[in-house]
Amino acid sequence: MALIVPFKAIRPAKDKVAHVVSRSYQRYTRRELNSVLSYNPFSFLHIINPGYKYHKNVKGQERFRLVHNRYLEFLEDNVFLKDAKDSFYLYQVESAHFDCCGLFCSTSVAEYRSNVIKKHENTLQRREELFANYLDTVKFNAEPVLMTYEDNETIAAILKREKKKAPEYFFTTTDKITHRLWVISDKATVKAIQAGFGDIKSLYIADGHHRSASSSLLAENSAKNNPNHSGKEPYNFFMSYLIPDSEIRIFEFNRMVKGLNGLSKEAFLIRLDAFYRIENQGDVLYKPTKKHHFSMYLDGEFYSLYLRKKVYKFSDALSQLDTQILFKTVLEPILGIHDLRKDKRIQYGHGKHNVIKMKDEIDKGRFTVGFGLVPISIEEIKAIADAGLVMPPKSTYIEPKLRSGLTIYEL
């Protein structure tokens, strides 16, 4: 069963919420970031960029301490308020192309360790330790782990009923996304939701593998340093946002590679022929349409690549993944890319117009060849996680991308 726990969130004051919440720091251009910091004193970006106040670029432990100080200032100024009751928080995001509704809650570090909460990506120990240290210093978690669960009629019915009530927050951000949030603090409703999740066997991490791993490390370190450790302390849980499988959106990452590993164009195509039936599609923008089918852009032309299944062995869920197939048949044996995380010859792209962007990058000579894939399905992600396997890096680009500062979990 999946254990989910309500918590007393720290939330923006109702009249300031639209000004407080921010996208992920990495999704701002430098110009956008400077503009927000200059003209919006309520933005959560002031907390995670604490050096701006002193016109100084701060790093490491000094930055962590200042993040904590900026957070305290937002509390002192009543920009943030703490809820009086343990609650779940129903949150809906809606745009022209996307709509989903899920639940903010706290989830158990113990269930992460016991694999009730399942992962499909490896994490880097250095990043785990860095973020665990960050959490221990700032004493709050403002970025939830995104997880999915199998569609459940009981849970869906409860949440549908709650959505009929007036939301606590209802606002639209400048990217034309509408946000609604309902606070669920009624004890009977909270227990009903928990009972519904009691029938869910597993939760699957969609985005936030390092955040969940870091929370587990923080809990381990905190327990060692707490002689009165009971297992109920806030550090034994971490904030998550749970949505049903049917509401997650998964997009593909394209691959772009510099050079052909010393091969001529003709020699490269001949090597490819061992694993693929190749068809030249000319200069018309071309995208693959099904599994085990890839597009390639090389020397001003698009190609379709159809996997020769008789010469490729499917042995497990990972071997059937298109990103793994491309790695094992092209990137590693032909182009000599053995480490997808560290090799500087390969880069990844995603987005609505990614095929055009990939073509432009190659036409400008920044890369030599590009590969397009179809998106991986949630069923494939779950099969990988259930088998205890790990996907190649940049296999999925997942939405929703959640705002920071909407609900905060204090440690």
Side-chain angles (χ1 to χ4, degrees):
M1 60 175 287
L3 172 66
I4 67 168
V5 180
F7 66 102
K8 296 180 180 69
I10 307 295
R11 298 188 287 112
K14 196 171 182 178
D15 64 325
K16 298 180 178 66
V17 60
H19 303 296
V20 172
V21 297
S22 71
R23 305 194 305 271
S24 171
Y25 175 79
Q26 290 79 12
R27 299 185 69 193
Y28 289 89
T29 65
R30 174 55 57 182
R31 185 176 181 180
E32 287 177 316
L33 186 62
N34 287 335
S35 178
V36 173
L37 291 172
S38 297
Y39 298 107
N40 181 3
F42 303 117
S43 174
F44 187 75
L45 292 172
H46 282 284
I47 293 178
I48 57 177
N49 292 269
Y52 179 81
K53 181 177 181 178
Y54 303 107
H55 307 287
K56 179 183 177 182
N57 184 25
V58 291
K59 297 180 180 180
Q61 198 64 34
E62 181 184 25
R63 174 177 172 266
F64 299 169
R65 288 193 294 268
L66 287 176
V67 166
H68 178 67
N69 293 345
R70 294 292 83 74
Y71 171 65
L72 292 179
E73 289 173 5
F74 270 50
L75 284 170
E76 292 162 359
D77 294 340
N78 292 322
V79 177
F80 281 145
L81 304 171
K82 185 171 184 176
D83 281 339
K85 297 180 180 179
D86 287 325
S87 306
F88 290 132
Y89 301 88
L90 182 61
Y91 174 54
Q92 181 180 30
V93 292
E94 184 178 9
S95 68
H97 71 281
F98 182 66
D99 183 5
C100 81
C101 190
L103 202 66
F104 284 112
C105 62
S106 63
T107 48
S108 167
V109 165
E111 292 201 339
Y112 173 80
R113 293 171 182 162
S114 66
N115 209 34
V116 172
I117 297 173
K118 297 189 176 184
K119 53 185 179 291
H120 63 260
E121 289 183 7
N122 276 333
T123 53
L124 302 175
Q125 183 177 353
R126 179 184 61 81
R127 287 189 62 190
E128 288 180 27
E129 293 173 349
L130 179 66
F131 194 61
N133 184 30
Y134 170 82
L135 292 174
D136 190 40
T137 303
V138 304
K139 302 300 183 184
F140 69 84
N141 187 341
E143 296 183 347
V145 175
L146 175 64
M147 299 191 205
T148 71
Y149 60 91
E150 61 184 352
D151 285 59
N152 180 286
E153 291 183 1
T154 300
I155 297 171
I158 297 171
L159 301 187
K160 183 178 180 180
R161 184 177 69 241
E162 292 299 311
K163 285 173 63 177
K164 293 180 179 179
K165 301 176 181 178
E168 175 75 7
Y169 296 151
F170 182 8
F171 62 97
T172 300
T173 42
T174 54
D175 51 5
K176 298 182 179 180
I177 295 178
T178 299
H179 308 258
R180 295 179 178 87
L181 183 137
W182 294 262
V183 179
I184 304 174
S185 55
D186 174 71
K187 290 184 179 180
T189 306
V190 166
K191 288 183 179 180
I193 292 173
Q194 289 179 308
F197 276 95
D199 294 330
I200 302 294
K201 294 181 179 180
S202 301
L203 300 174
Y204 294 84
I205 298 174
D207 192 13
H209 284 80
H210 278 95
R211 292 193 291 276
S212 49
S214 299
S215 295
S216 177
L217 179 59
L218 172 68
E220 180 182 346
N221 294 338
S222 299
K224 290 178 181 177
N225 296 323
N226 182 4
N228 298 314
H229 172 77
S230 67
K232 297 181 179 181
E233 296 84 357
Y235 58 70
N236 294 291
F237 303 87
F238 56 95
M239 184 168 64
S240 297
Y241 179 70
L242 312 182
I243 61 174
D245 292 343
S246 59
E247 295 194 22
I248 197 167
R249 292 285 297 275
I250 305 172
F251 301 89
E252 75 281 6
F253 274 95
N254 289 348
R255 276 89 167 108
M256 298 177 289
V257 180
K258 296 178 181 179
L260 296 178
N261 198 27
L263 298 171
S264 66
K265 173 184 174 181
E266 292 73 21
F268 174 65
L269 290 172
I270 289 172
R271 291 283 300 274
L272 275 182
D273 193 77
F275 279 103
Y276 295 93
R277 180 164 60 87
I278 305 170
E279 295 181 4
N280 190 316
Q281 303 292 339
D283 59 0
V284 178
L285 291 175
Y286 180 78
K287 292 185 68 173
T289 57
K290 58 185 178 181
K291 279 177 61 65
H292 313 331
H293 172 205
F294 305 86
S295 66
M296 180 176 74
Y297 185 67
L298 173 67
D299 195 25
E301 296 179 308
F302 282 92
Y303 296 82
S304 58
L305 307 180
Y306 296 89
L307 181 68
R308 300 185 189 277
K309 296 180 181 179
K310 290 186 178 180
V311 298
Y312 180 84
K313 183 179 179 181
F314 295 111
S315 57
D316 54 23
L318 179 61
S319 69
Q320 298 180 49
L321 211 62
D322 283 349
T323 50
Q324 180 73 358
I325 292 171
L326 189 67
F327 174 60
K328 285 299 184 181
T329 60
V330 182
L331 300 179
E332 185 178 45
I334 301 177
L335 295 177
I337 296 174
H338 303 285
D339 191 331
L340 293 171
R341 294 185 182 274
K342 296 181 179 179
D343 198 311
K344 295 181 179 179
R345 290 174 295 161
I346 186 169
Q347 286 193 20
Y348 308 88
H350 65 84
K352 182 178 179 181
H353 304 293
N354 194 37
V355 176
I356 297 174
K357 293 177 183 177
M358 181 180 75
K359 178 181 183 299
D360 288 344
E361 289 288 291
I362 294 170
D363 288 343
K364 291 175 183 177
R366 294 171 182 160
F367 296 90
T368 308
V369 61
F371 301 93
L373 303 83
V374 297
I376 289 171
S377 68
I378 185 62
E379 289 75 22
E380 289 178 290
I381 290 176
K382 292 171 72 171
I384 293 289
D386 287 341
L389 301 171
V390 176
M391 296 195 306
K394 302 296 183 182
S395 288
T396 57
Y397 179 84
I398 293 176
E399 287 189 349
K401 296 297 181 187
L402 299 171
R403 291 309 205 265
S404 296
L406 185 63
T407 61
I408 292 175
Y409 177 77
E410 283 197 326
L411 297 166

